[in-house]
Amino acid sequence: MVHKTLRHLGTGVAIAAMLATATAHAADDKLVIVTSFPSDLTDVFKNAFMKENPSISVEVVNKSTSSGVKYLIETAQNNQSDIFWASAPDAFEVLKENSLLAKYESAVGGVATELNGYPINDPDGYYSGFALSGYGFMWNERYMDAFKLPEPTEWEDLTKPVYNGHVGISAPSRSGTTHLTIETILQGEGWEKGWQTIRDMSGNAKTITERSFGVPDGVNSGSFGIGIVIDFFGFSSMASGFPVDFRYPSVTALVPANIGVINNAPNNGPAQKFIDFLMSETGQGLLFDPKIMRLPVNKSVYANAPKGLPNPFDGSIKSEVNFDTAVSQGRYNVVNSLFDVMITYRLEDLRAAVVAIQEAEVALAESGATNAEATKLIADAKALLHTLPIDEAKANDPEFAAIFKSKRKKQTDKVEGRQAEIEQEWDNQIVQNYQKAAELANTARFMF
């Protein structure tokens, strides 16, 4: 009886050991990556990593940055994801604050830890920068020649009447990279002046695209001439043979795109292996793929950089903005809501006001006369156009920012509670201001 019991016990232990071994083996055979990056990027890295690690199967779960963050928060109690991989550093700050990232610092050599005093990696070790990105605009050279448009050099240039109807931009609520662009302008020019520039540029927009990649697609195809983009969109289009060019304005920032291990990752070992691969010379060299064209953080690979791709470590990119991730993260949803209320869902009203002001200014200049009344009407119209529903202190107030929890992918999407009330108050004010601005500008124009 004793021997039989021991025999059964031994069999049970053996089975348990086999199951444990199988579970551990399975954990080493799989990797789940949640990312906002398109398949043009992820497929290159997935295939190269699996070639080096044939026992590991990689599953890519593609979601927008904000949707990815929401997904990881919602599934935290039964997490099945191993890595979060995206551009926006403020998204990683949200995950970090919610204890959803695990510390991991790769020991791969040659990787830069800072650029001009700006840390490339999270100082606490919860996420790492694997590439650098800056913000600017790209243009279609054939389109520019056809419409006789000058090449822009600064954000301010894109507010000029000559570019009306020739600009494309996405909404920051739909694109993490566009959010970083908008925040770069706000931090570089200041809250009031920054929003003035953003609104005047947007008033020249032909369209606001559904996703960020709709902007380079529109420039490449000639649907519009100029696109407000993150740099790699311009570089990859150039490398793919499209007749386009890209420029950084002086008000830009170089911000790391990041990767981090999810807390309680079921496949922690493969996750760390993937990050090591991404930081290695082999992995960093893949960033030079014509479909990707991002700026590596491993300095040694720039010896093999393709022609036209700048090296951020040799001072060739002049960035005036020291991007404050904490500020961006703290007011993330407020900025997105403001943009949507003032621009995305009121683009026709905004364009009408901008065109009326531009035409009035042209009429005044061409008249060659001094007309104090018309000058005042135009100034009043501009003041109405640029009036903001809230100041920067309010936007940065954590209690106020906490109200904004929902985003609208389209105008018909509903938000609830206090956020809905505030957005409706803003909308009422914006519509009235735009309509009155257009009336004043038209009155001034018909004085000549």
Side-chain angles (χ1 to χ4, degrees), residues 99-332:
S99 301
L100 295 179
L101 294 176
K103 284 188 177 183
Y104 181 66
E105 298 181 67
S106 177
V108 173
V111 179
T113 58
E114 61 88 25
L115 176 67
N116 301 326
Y118 186 96
I120 292 174
N121 303 321
D122 173 41
D124 298 321
Y126 284 97
Y127 57 90
S128 303
F130 74 94
L132 296 167
S133 297
Y135 311 96
F137 30 80
M138 61 185 288
W139 61 88
N140 185 308
E141 293 173 324
R142 293 175 186 168
Y143 183 106
M144 302 292 273
D145 289 341
F147 286 92
K148 296 180 172 54
L149 299 177
E151 294 180 358
T153 58
E154 300 289 349
W155 298 118
E156 190 71 25
D157 291 338
L158 296 181
T159 70
K160 296 175 181 178
V162 69
Y163 297 111
N164 195 280
H166 300 297
V167 179
I169 186 174
S170 186
S173 60
R174 301 170 181 172
S175 161
T177 55
T178 303
H179 177 89
L180 292 173
T181 306
I182 297 302
E183 261 294 347
T184 295
I185 297 172
L186 293 176
Q187 292 188 27
E189 296 190 353
W191 184 258
E192 296 282 343
K193 178 63 169 61
W195 275 118
Q196 178 178 324
T197 298
I198 292 163
R199 257 200 283 203
D200 287 348
M201 285 194 307
S202 301
N204 280 339
K206 179 178 180 179
T207 185
I208 296 177
T209 64
E210 290 295 329
R211 293 289 300 271
S212 58
F213 53 76
V215 178
D217 286 351
V219 175
N220 292 341
S221 66
S223 295
F224 43 86
I226 305 164
I228 296 168
V229 295
I230 193 167
D231 55 8
F232 59 80
F233 279 145
F235 296 143
S236 61
S237 292
M238 292 161 64
S240 298
F242 289 100
V244 303
D245 205 349
F246 172 85
R247 178 171 288 142
Y248 297 105
S250 58
V251 177
T252 193
L254 285 170
V255 177
N258 300 285
I259 190 166
V261 179
I262 306 301
N263 197 20
N264 296 320
N267 310 293
N268 190 65
Q272 294 180 0
K273 277 186 179 180
F274 185 85
I275 292 176
D276 288 345
F277 173 78
L278 184 61
M279 299 301 178
S280 69
E281 288 192 25
T282 299
Q284 290 280 284
L286 295 176
L287 293 170
F288 295 147
D289 184 288
K291 297 185 295 295
I292 301 175
M293 296 295 282
R294 290 185 179 236
L295 306 177
V297 295
N298 194 320
K299 296 181 182 180
S300 61
V301 302
Y302 282 96
N304 300 312
K307 184 179 178 181
L309 193 74
N311 182 344
F313 299 102
D314 67 6
S316 58
I317 303 173
K318 306 299 181 185
S319 56
E320 292 185 359
V321 183
N322 291 319
F323 193 87
D324 191 325
T325 301
V327 168
S328 178
Q329 184 257 322
R331 65 191 188 192
Y332 189 94

Side-chain angles (χ1 to χ4, degrees), residues 227-448:
I228 296 168
V229 295
I230 193 167
D231 55 8
F232 59 80
F233 279 145
F235 296 143
S236 61
S237 292
M238 292 161 64
S240 298
F242 289 100
V244 303
D245 205 349
F246 172 85
R247 178 171 288 142
Y248 297 105
S250 58
V251 177
T252 193
L254 285 170
V255 177
N258 300 285
I259 190 166
V261 179
I262 306 301
N263 197 20
N264 296 320
N267 310 293
N268 190 65
Q272 294 180 0
K273 277 186 179 180
F274 185 85
I275 292 176
D276 288 345
F277 173 78
L278 184 61
M279 299 301 178
S280 69
E281 288 192 25
T282 299
Q284 290 280 284
L286 295 176
L287 293 170
F288 295 147
D289 184 288
K291 297 185 295 295
I292 301 175
M293 296 295 282
R294 290 185 179 236
L295 306 177
V297 295
N298 194 320
K299 296 181 182 180
S300 61
V301 302
Y302 282 96
N304 300 312
K307 184 179 178 181
L309 193 74
N311 182 344
F313 299 102
D314 67 6
S316 58
I317 303 173
K318 306 299 181 185
S319 56
E320 292 185 359
V321 183
N322 291 319
F323 193 87
D324 191 325
T325 301
V327 168
S328 178
Q329 184 257 322
R331 65 191 188 192
Y332 189 94
N333 289 330
V334 177
V335 167
N336 289 351
S337 288
L338 275 171
F339 189 99
D340 279 343
V341 172
M342 296 192 301
I343 298 169
T344 308
Y345 302 127
R346 290 298 173 189
L347 184 59
E348 289 188 13
D349 294 311
L350 173 61
R351 279 195 291 225
V354 167
V355 168
I357 291 170
Q358 290 174 348
E359 290 178 348
E361 289 183 316
V362 169
L364 177 60
E366 289 180 347
S367 73
T370 300
N371 188 317
E373 184 180 359
T375 300
K376 184 178 186 307
L377 285 171
I378 294 171
D380 289 346
K382 284 184 173 182
L384 284 167
L385 178 71
H386 297 140
T387 297
L388 291 167
I390 57 171
D391 60 18
E392 185 170 22
K394 188 72 170 178
N396 292 349
D397 178 5
E399 289 187 13
F400 182 75
I403 294 170
F404 294 81
K405 299 175 181 177
S406 303
K407 69 173 185 176
R408 294 185 292 173
K409 290 185 178 181
K410 53 184 182 292
Q411 191 169 4
T412 54
D413 288 348
K414 300 295 183 183
V415 294
E416 298 177 347
R418 184 62 181 139
Q419 178 180 344
E421 294 174 6
I422 293 172
E423 287 189 2
Q424 187 60 59
E425 291 169 5
W426 290 353
D427 187 63
N428 293 340
Q429 178 187 341
I430 293 300
V431 171
Q432 184 177 352
N433 286 352
Y434 287 172
Q435 291 176 349
K436 185 63 176 176
E439 291 172 8
L440 294 177
N442 285 326
T443 299
R445 178 168 61 112
F446 290 115
M447 288 181 173
F448 305 101

